[in-house]
Amino acid sequence: MKSDIVKKGVERAPHRSLFKAMGYTDEEINRPLIGVANSKNEIIPGHIHLDKITEAVKAGIRMAGGTPVEFGAIGVCDGIAMGHMGMKYSLPTRELIADSCEAMGLAHSFDGMVFIPNCDKIVPGMLMAAARINVPAVVVSGGPMLSINHNGKQLDLNSLFEAVGACKAGQMTEEEVADLEDHACPGCGSCSGMFTANSMNCLTEVLGMGLPGNGTIPAVYAERIRLAKYAGMKVMELVEKDIKPSDILNAKTFENALTVDMALGCSTNSVLHLPAIANEAGVEINLDIINEISGRVPNLCKLAPAGRHHIQDLYAAGGVQAVMKELSQKGLLHLDLMTVTGKTVGENIKNAKVKDREVIRSIDNPYSTTGGIAVLRGNIAPDGAVVKRSAVAAEMLVHKGPARVFDSEDDAIKAIYGGNIKKGDVVVIRYEGPRGGPGMREMLGPTSAIAGMGLDKDVALITDGRFSGASRGASIGHVSPEAMEGGPIAAVKEGDIINIDIPSGKLNVEVSDEEIRNRMKKWIAPKPRITSGYLGRYARLVSSASTGAVLK
């Protein structure tokens, strides 16, 4: 066993003594040691209950003959961090989580590991760690929050963000906002739409690193506890068979993940996280691959924010495995790939069935013949930009309008709430990229304000930052190169006409190349907003959004 290095032989008597100081018996020490990364905390609704998930995982490990060794991991709540300085820390914590899990896993020579995340950056951070450590591993998440029907409407966190915009526009009273505040998030779990957390939890299944049901079984269902026990039992089987992440994660695996991403209409943040996970697995994903897959994979689901359905509806309709079964009807998936079940993708989905054709459409009757995400290029974004095409109103797929330019999210929000943005405008928010932010803040505030004011079918947003998975409308993010690196988005001026053509994958400002060059000759890079602490180091090391914003 790998853990023999910390427990076998007379030379390791001091080590065993330290185990015994914690109450471990000789029998426990002699069994395989399984690291259990628990990201439970009291600041994220999706993580408040992970102590229960962790206890179930540990029970499964013990039932299968292993010894669980629990340790903690951090997590930022994107919703609570949204719209202020805190959001600068959200994406950078992905690297902290990966690094700390690597340190714990390799420093203590665990024979296997179970990773227990649930929300936004924590899921990809732990998947990156699993690939990097490369011992037998399973990821089991905490499950999605329920959406409840209140006054005839299915609510989620985005209901509140959009309510703020509606209130500012005089379309909703503060009392009505307070009523939504009391009901939109009814309990524990990752926010109930196909936002970033649930996107990544679903894609964990597709990557073969989570058991079937990982992405969709609601947090409050007993089935989620049973899944956690099975995850603990399954990691022991993987240890016995020596099935590691490197046996599961390869180029075809990531093609499958991108394919299901397009069918589900996942968050644009998946285009940041999948390349970062792939990078740890030695696989390269570029934006051209993403567009190629999007061009041939139909969009089968319209889950919030793109539609009225939520993750609980996807669960009831057959879950991720049913979506995969539907895609397999047209040969769109690689079915011979190994997964943490010990079986192939094809074996896992063999008995999957679609139980609700309103939630999961037939492959022959999709919402769109193209996928939920599109990559745009042009003279504003020569290295690419990303939009959740499935959440864009039909009338905004092609749009032309004057640029309203802001050098920070805060300035843009003031203008939006101040009523200074008009129909037809294209809001440009720059210096919010990985380096410029620093930290590439999610901008649910501006998109929700636009939507809440009823302008999501009339106003587009473009940024070198990123948007929340809860954002809808013509919200185009990840513009690369970012402004802080001298990308041409830095040359856009107030009033320039911007041309957006999502079906054609084009994003351009109607200014000549020569004029852009002349403007950039006069451009002076602004001073970094933060130079000290973790964010200062992050800004100096982070790569472009087009390559997953990984640290160099």
Side-chain angles (χ1 to χ4, degrees):
M1 288 185 288
K2 181 180 174 66
S3 63
D4 285 351
I5 196 171
V6 301
K7 66 188 186 185
K8 287 290 186 181
V10 68
E11 302 87 356
R12 295 298 183 249
H15 302 62
R16 292 193 296 273
S17 180
L18 291 168
F19 275 102
K20 290 177 179 181
M22 295 179 282
Y24 289 91
T25 65
D26 285 325
E27 289 79 5
E28 288 175 300
I29 296 169
N30 288 332
R31 293 172 178 175
L33 301 182
I34 308 299
V36 179
N38 176 11
S39 56
K40 192 263 184 191
N41 63 37
E42 297 181 351
I43 195 65
I44 310 177
H47 289 232
I48 192 71
H49 65 304
L50 292 188
D51 52 344
K52 296 180 176 63
I53 301 296
T54 300
E55 287 306 314
V57 166
K58 289 159 71 175
I61 291 169
R62 291 190 181 104
M63 283 190 285
T67 297
V69 183
E70 180 185 344
F71 63 89
I74 66 165
V76 165
C77 178
D78 279 24
I80 294 174
M82 191 72 66
H84 56 88
M85 172 69 181
M87 180 45 71
K88 293 180 183 289
Y89 281 93
S90 173
L91 180 61
T93 61
R94 186 187 71 184
E95 317 308 312
L96 285 176
I97 291 161
D99 289 352
S100 61
C101 287
E102 173 201 351
M104 291 297 288
L106 294 181
H108 301 106
S109 296
F110 294 132
D111 297 299
M113 296 188 72
V114 179
F115 295 91
I116 307 173
N118 206 28
C119 293
D120 297 73
K121 308 311 144 317
I122 302 95
V123 181
M126 288 191 172
L127 283 165
M128 290 164 68
R132 193 185 297 174
I133 299 166
N134 200 34
V135 297
V138 178
V139 176
V140 58
S141 301
M145 185 185 293
L146 292 177
S147 166
I148 63 169
N149 189 299
H150 183 66
N151 295 332
K153 183 180 179 182
Q154 291 293 141
L155 300 181
D156 55 48
L157 177 65
N158 201 31
S159 305
L160 260 299
F161 276 100
E162 294 191 4
V164 173
C167 184
K168 294 282 187 179
Q171 299 169 11
M172 185 177 285
T173 66
E174 288 191 22
E175 290 75 18
E176 288 172 320
V177 174
D179 181 55
L180 289 180
E181 178 184 324
D182 288 340
H183 296 94
C185 298
C188 66
S190 47
C191 295
S192 54
M194 188 54 83
F195 310 150
T196 304
N198 290 323
S199 293
M200 294 311 301
N201 284 329
C202 288
L203 294 178
T204 297
E205 275 188 57
V206 188
L207 288 169
M209 291 299 296
L211 297 176
N214 181 73
T216 59
I217 299 170
V220 295
Y221 285 16
E223 187 180 353
R224 175 60 60 173
I225 298 295
R226 297 198 298 273
L227 184 80
K229 290 179 180 177
Y230 287 132
M233 296 168 70
K234 188 58 66 174
V235 76
M236 295 305 299
E237 181 183 324
L238 297 177
V239 169
E240 181 182 348
K241 296 179 178 178
D242 195 30
I243 298 174
K244 300 185 291 293
S246 58
D247 300 312
I248 294 171
L249 300 173
N250 55 50
K252 290 182 178 180
T253 310
F254 287 97
E255 284 185 28
N256 277 0
L258 288 167
T259 296
V260 179
D261 187 334
M262 300 306 164
L264 286 173
C266 289
S267 163
T268 52
N269 283 316
S270 63
V271 179
L272 272 181
H273 299 320
L274 287 175
I277 299 163
N279 178 64
E280 298 292 348
V283 175
E284 181 183 350
I285 294 178
N286 60 50
L287 297 186
D288 293 325
I289 293 172
I290 292 167
N291 247 7
E292 188 272 322
I293 292 174
S294 180
R296 59 181 166 82
V297 175
N299 179 219
L300 303 182
C301 303
K302 275 198 179 292
L303 300 158
R308 60 186 176 86
H309 297 123
H310 289 77
I311 301 299
Q312 67 204 40
D313 302 309
L314 179 60
Y315 163 77
V320 174
Q321 303 295 308
V323 175
M324 295 174 73
K325 182 66 174 287
E326 194 65 25
L327 291 168
S328 72
Q329 307 300 320
K330 291 289 179 73
L332 292 172
L333 292 175
H334 302 286
L335 301 180
D336 59 343
L337 304 176
M338 180 54 63
T339 72
V340 293
T341 66
K343 299 177 181 178
T344 64
V345 171
E347 290 171 320
N348 287 345
I349 68 173
K350 181 179 179 181
N351 297 318
K353 293 180 180 178
V354 176
K355 301 173 185 177
D356 188 336
R357 287 295 183 187
E358 286 190 22
V359 179
I360 304 172
R361 284 206 174 178
S362 163
I363 193 82
D364 296 316
N365 181 36
Y367 283 103
S368 168
T369 56
T370 53
I373 291 176
V375 172
L376 313 182
R377 293 185 188 272
N379 61 4
I380 298 178
D383 290 345
V386 181
V387 63
K388 189 170 185 174
R389 173 166 44 189
S390 59
V392 179
E395 48 266 61
M396 287 298 291
L397 289 170
V398 177
H399 179 76
K400 182 187 291 189
R404 305 298 310 282
V405 181
F406 303 94
D407 287 345
S408 73
E409 176 190 8
D410 310 272
D411 290 344
I413 288 179
K414 287 177 186 176
I416 295 167
Y417 284 154
N420 297 322
I421 302 302
K422 309 300 182 186
K423 288 185 176 182
D425 285 349
V426 178
V427 177
V428 177
I429 307 174
R430 60 194 180 191
Y431 299 106
E432 289 286 3
R435 180 171 294 177
M440 203 180 184
R441 289 193 283 184
E442 283 187 348
M443 299 188 196
L444 185 53
T447 60
S448 297
I450 291 290
M453 291 176 167
L455 294 171
D456 56 297
K457 296 182 179 179
D458 300 289
V459 172
L461 293 95
I462 297 172
T463 181
D464 54 6
R466 62 195 178 95
F467 293 111
S468 165
S471 296
R472 62 186 174 97
S475 303
I476 301 166
H478 308 196
V479 169
S480 299
E482 62 175 292
M484 196 67 175
E485 291 189 335
I489 189 173
V492 178
K493 290 185 176 180
E494 184 83 8
D496 284 347
I497 300 301
I498 292 180
N499 199 325
I500 301 166
D501 189 339
I502 294 173
S504 298
K506 299 295 176 62
L507 176 63
N508 288 289
V509 58
E510 294 187 352
V511 173
S512 70
D513 291 345
E514 183 180 4
E515 174 62 17
I516 290 175
R517 285 193 296 271
N518 288 336
R519 291 181 185 182
M520 290 309 298
K521 286 177 183 177
K522 302 174 184 176
W523 174 77
I524 299 174
K527 292 182 179 179
R529 289 173 172 146
I530 297 174
T531 58
S532 61
Y534 177 56
L535 287 181
R537 294 197 303 275
Y538 181 86
R540 291 190 290 273
L541 297 173
V542 71
S543 69
S544 170
S546 63
T547 56
V550 296
L551 297 187
K552 297 173 185 174

